[in-house]
Amino acid sequence: MNISAVFARNLRSGLLVAAAAGSIATSSTAFAQQATSAVTVDAAVTANCVVSTTPVSFGNVDVTSGSAVLGTGGVSVTCTNGTAWSAAADAGQAVGATPATRQMTDGTNLLNYSLYTDTGRTTLWGDGTAASAAITDTGTGAAQPQTIFARVPAGQNALPAGNYADLVVVTVTY
């Protein structure tokens, strides 16, 4: 067999190409090349707050008892760690209501009540101006629950039976 015939046969079977590649790989040293770069990673942690509430429920109120009825509810504020916040409460939905005298309604009937920030029920919870205080704190990144203390004052014995309700909007400023 002449050399041309061997070359043709090996070319068809791919052996010559493999042999040539192997001899190149073994006969020369390969040099790996590298290029580098850095990826910049950044983020801005923003100040954020979330507020949730639990209802104030006085249950059954006996206006003829001559006694005030007490209740509690709650507000919970979760703010970014280090973020100062203030939770204010409006006067409620009744026309003419104030933080000192909020009013639950049943049609046109009004049942007075007040919300406070302290157990002694001496500091009215409101918008932080005049005679009512807002609740203030600094965020920790975790929920910060606050108890809301409430009172239906005595002396409302002329009210008819009914289901009285109000809605107080809580606004957190941070």
Side-chain angles (χ1 to χ4, degrees):
M1 190 179 277
N2 68 25
I3 227 145
S4 302
V6 170
F7 181 75
R9 188 174 47 149
N10 286 339
L11 185 59
R12 282 191 300 268
S13 68
L15 296 176
L16 184 60
V17 174
S23 67
I24 291 171
T26 58
S27 66
S28 67
T29 304
F31 293 99
Q33 300 292 323
Q34 292 182 339
T36 61
S37 181
V39 175
T40 300
V41 179
D42 64 16
V45 175
T46 58
N48 289 297
C49 293
V50 177
V51 61
S52 62
T53 58
T54 55
V56 174
S57 179
F58 290 104
N60 295 323
V61 175
D62 179 0
V63 294
T64 64
S65 72
S67 298
V69 178
L70 305 180
T72 59
V75 61
S76 182
V77 179
T78 305
C79 289
T80 307
N81 189 22
T83 301
W85 58 267
S86 173
D90 73 3
Q93 303 299 303
V95 175
T98 68
T101 307
R102 290 180 167 93
Q103 298 171 319
M104 291 179 272
T105 61
D106 177 32
T108 59
N109 301 306
L110 302 172
L111 177 62
N112 295 333
Y113 73 100
S114 298
L115 300 177
Y116 302 90
T117 61
D118 62 317
T119 58
R121 292 170 174 81
T122 58
T123 305
L124 289 167
W125 183 35
D127 59 7
T129 60
S132 64
I135 299 169
T136 60
D137 210 336
T138 300
T140 64
Q144 294 174 282
Q146 306 286 323
T147 301
I148 303 304
F149 302 93
R151 175 175 38 225
V152 171
Q156 301 184 71
N157 55 347
L159 287 174
N163 292 312
Y164 292 78
D166 192 17
L167 181 67
V168 175
V169 175
V170 177
T171 303
V172 173
T173 304
Y174 56 97

